[in-house]
Amino acid sequence: EPEVTQTPSHQVTQMGQEVILRCVPISNHLYFYWYRQILGQKVEFLVSFYNNEISEKSEIFDDQFSVERPDGSNFTLKIRSTKLEDSAMYFCASSLTSNSYEQYFGPGTRLTVT
Amino acid sequence: GENVEQHPSTLSVQEGDSAVIKCTYSDSASNYFPWYKQELGKRPQLIIDIRSNVGEKKDQRIAVTLNKTAKHFSLHITETQPEDSAVYFCAAILPTGFQKLVFGTGTRLLVSP
């Protein structure tokens, strides 16, 4: 069964550094998402992406964040200047169409900002 | 925007008992309600979902019920097993926009042998 994959599984970075989190969505899926989960808390929506454009973003997704689909398979989340409060698990998800609703999550990248 | 509340936050049951987790949502336009199971350090896994045109859906030992009038939906797990132990999240999607999932706060289910 196809799965969403993410790399790296764990990223440690210093405050102020840039990080890029990578995701490979399920191959025939068209809609892509990033969510984050601070330890012990609920999963929060960051951004959705379709047709090479951001379709919706949350208030968490400020100017320090950006997303990109650099090729036909990868979907990346960049944080330009990390803060301590960016430490969280970041999940990528994908869905087939806007009407299929089912979103499948990757295994996550644990980001630790020191 | 949508807001989803979930309770209880923790639930302990004996193996073989049933477990019920409840969620309420705020926006009556929400039309899709998935449940995710998250084991420690793992990805959220979709275990069952229900759309607003259906009142109940079953899949073996799990079922979800939806009451649109009251704006609440519930996850029912029968004959619980230790491997059911995990955090369960409910979520809702509004039909507008691009289907961002709004999650509840999670229920930690512990099934004791």
Side-chain angles (χ1 to χ4, degrees):
Chain A
E1 185 178 328
E3 288 188 332
V4 177
T5 59
Q6 289 184 244
T7 54
S9 58
H10 191 189
Q11 174 89 47
V12 181
T13 189
Q14 288 191 327
M15 199 166 51
Q17 296 297 303
E18 174 183 287
V19 294
I20 297 176
L21 310 182
R22 292 184 167 79
C23 167
V24 179
I26 294 172
S27 63
N28 61 338
H29 284 191
L30 301 175
Y31 293 81
F32 314 119
Y33 312 84
W34 283 101
Y35 293 84
R36 79 170 187 191
Q37 185 179 33
I38 295 171
L39 188 64
Q41 297 186 23
K42 66 178 176 180
V43 178
E44 299 174 289
F45 170 81
L46 290 178
V47 65
S48 58
F49 190 86
Y50 168 71
N51 200 25
N52 284 320
E53 288 185 343
I54 289 174
S55 45
E56 189 169 358
K57 59 184 180 179
S58 72
E59 59 275 8
I60 302 168
F61 194 89
D62 61 22
D63 292 345
Q64 293 301 309
F65 290 86
S66 62
V67 289
E68 192 178 32
R69 188 153 163 82
D71 54 43
S73 60
N74 289 285
F75 178 50
T76 62
L77 174 68
K78 182 193 289 187
I79 309 174
R80 286 190 188 81
S81 177
T82 50
K83 308 183 190 73
L84 294 176
E85 54 265 36
D86 292 329
S87 295
M89 182 74 94
Y90 288 81
F91 292 104
C92 173
S94 68
S95 64
L96 181 57
T97 69
S98 64
N99 293 325
S100 65
Y101 292 143
E102 293 88 349
Q103 292 185 24
Y104 296 92
F105 282 71
T109 293
R110 178 165 298 286
L111 177 64
T112 303
V113 182
T114 62
Chain B
E2 177 63 281
N3 183 52
V4 178
E5 296 190 355
Q6 182 173 349
H7 59 96
S9 56
T10 58
L11 180 59
S12 294
V13 300
Q14 290 292 120
E15 183 177 0
D17 288 349
S18 295
V20 180
I21 303 170
K22 297 181 180 181
C23 288
T24 59
Y25 59 99
S26 60
D27 196 322
S28 57
S30 290
N31 65 346
Y32 173 71
F33 307 93
W35 285 89
Y36 285 84
K37 175 184 180 182
Q38 187 178 31
E39 297 176 55
L40 191 63
K42 301 270 183 77
R43 75 184 79 196
Q45 281 199 299
L46 178 65
I47 57 171
I48 196 167
D49 55 15
I50 192 166
R51 300 193 182 216
S52 58
N53 59 347
V54 175
E56 184 176 1
K57 184 176 177 181
K58 284 185 183 178
D59 182 4
Q60 299 182 346
R61 293 187 299 108
I62 59 174
V64 56
T65 58
L66 171 65
N67 183 326
K68 284 171 55 180
T69 304
K71 289 189 285 186
H72 68 70
F73 57 111
S74 300
L75 177 71
H76 304 254
I77 307 174
T78 59
E79 300 172 29
T80 53
Q81 300 166 2
E83 51 265 38
D84 294 329
S85 296
V87 178
Y88 291 80
F89 290 96
C90 63
I93 279 183
L94 282 165
T96 56
F98 284 85
Q99 282 79 41
K100 72 174 187 183
L101 284 167
V102 178
F103 282 87
T105 48
T107 296
R108 182 171 301 281
L109 174 65
L110 177 62
V111 181
S112 302

